Amino acid sequence: MKFLLLFFFLILIGCKSSMVKSYDKNKLVKIVEFKRSTNFIFTEEYCEMNFRKDSSNIFKNYFTPELKDVEYINNNLAKQYLEIFTKGIKAEKFYEPFINDVKKEAKQSVNFDKQFFGYVNNNDEKIILIQQFNFEYDPYNFKTKLDQDFINCFLGWCSVSVRRIKFNVEKSTFSIH
């Protein structure tokens, strides 16, 4: 009987996939801890204050990604990571030598910290932009800034250590940003 109770207790502990560290409605950045990564959700208010709506209407409106969507992304992104990025690599023949690197990344992706913000595009689709960070090497100390600013960088370290992925909320599909 003791073994059975211990077994159920361990299963309950193992089933908890996320722990909300800070999900205060008044905060501009919400922090969600998962088993192997930390996730930073930028609210609609943060986006309205810090991002402009561009003239091409790519960002018609902003929204705060829901916890259920962030959990879905964390549970499914690693499973689809290789497919998402190899599809993009095959479209650009120049990048084919990087497929082995992507395979390695796919295995490690559950450990990467992420930033999220939501927007409505010109087709009225709700999109969550995910920035995934590999902090094996962090020369700019970005890891300490993930809860303060949406990191917007593209060259050098960022081109190697940051992946941008779009998640279509209605279709539950991923694509490369």
Side-chain angles (χ1 to χ4, degrees):
M1 181 68 171
K2 286 182 184 179
F3 174 74
L4 199 56
L5 287 173
L6 178 63
F7 177 74
F8 284 117
F9 178 73
L10 291 173
I11 287 195
L12 285 174
I13 290 173
C15 288
K16 185 171 171 117
S17 63
S18 68
M19 179 189 82
V20 177
K21 183 176 180 183
S22 173
Y23 208 81
D24 180 355
K25 282 199 178 264
N26 297 322
K27 287 193 79 162
L28 294 176
V29 180
K30 300 168 187 316
I31 303 169
V32 181
E33 298 279 347
F34 284 90
K35 193 187 301 186
R36 298 181 188 160
S37 67
T38 304
N39 297 263
F40 302 89
I41 303 170
F42 288 78
T43 63
E44 176 180 355
E45 294 79 15
Y46 176 93
C47 295
E48 290 287 343
M49 289 183 345
N50 293 285
F51 306 147
R52 65 182 176 85
K53 292 186 176 118
D54 71 44
S55 58
S56 66
N57 285 330
I58 292 172
F59 303 126
K60 283 175 67 174
N61 288 308
Y62 298 105
F63 67 93
T64 302
E66 294 182 33
L67 184 58
K68 69 177 179 66
D69 293 324
V70 171
E71 286 178 331
Y72 179 88
I73 289 166
N74 271 283
N75 291 332
N76 292 283
L77 181 58
K79 297 173 193 169
Q80 297 179 35
Y81 193 88
L82 188 60
E83 178 185 334
I84 295 164
F85 281 94
T86 52
K87 189 185 302 180
I89 287 171
K90 287 178 182 172
E92 300 289 331
K93 300 282 186 208
F94 173 78
Y95 294 106
E96 281 186 23
F98 299 108
I99 288 180
N100 287 333
D101 293 337
V102 172
K103 287 178 183 177
K104 179 183 170 194
E105 266 183 30
K107 291 177 185 174
Q108 298 173 338
S109 66
V110 293
N111 301 317
F112 298 159
D113 292 339
K114 298 170 193 70
Q115 290 184 318
F116 301 85
F117 83 84
Y119 66 92
V120 177
N121 68 13
N122 55 359
N123 295 324
D124 290 323
E125 298 171 311
K126 288 177 80 174
I127 305 294
I128 297 174
L129 180 66
I130 307 151
Q131 286 200 130
Q132 184 168 270
F133 295 86
N134 179 351
F135 285 120
E136 287 182 64
Y137 174 65
D138 184 12
Y140 303 107
N141 206 23
F142 280 147
K143 189 170 179 86
T144 63
K145 299 173 182 130
L146 290 178
D147 65 338
Q148 299 161 25
D149 291 309
F150 193 81
I151 307 296
N152 197 10
C153 63
F154 296 94
L155 302 174
W157 177 85
C158 292
S159 65
V160 175
S161 301
V162 180
R163 297 291 174 257
R164 289 175 185 82
I165 303 153
K166 289 193 286 188
F167 177 73
N168 185 308
V169 176
E170 285 87 16
K171 298 176 183 175
S172 295
T173 56
F174 295 99
S175 61
I176 296 177
H177 179 66

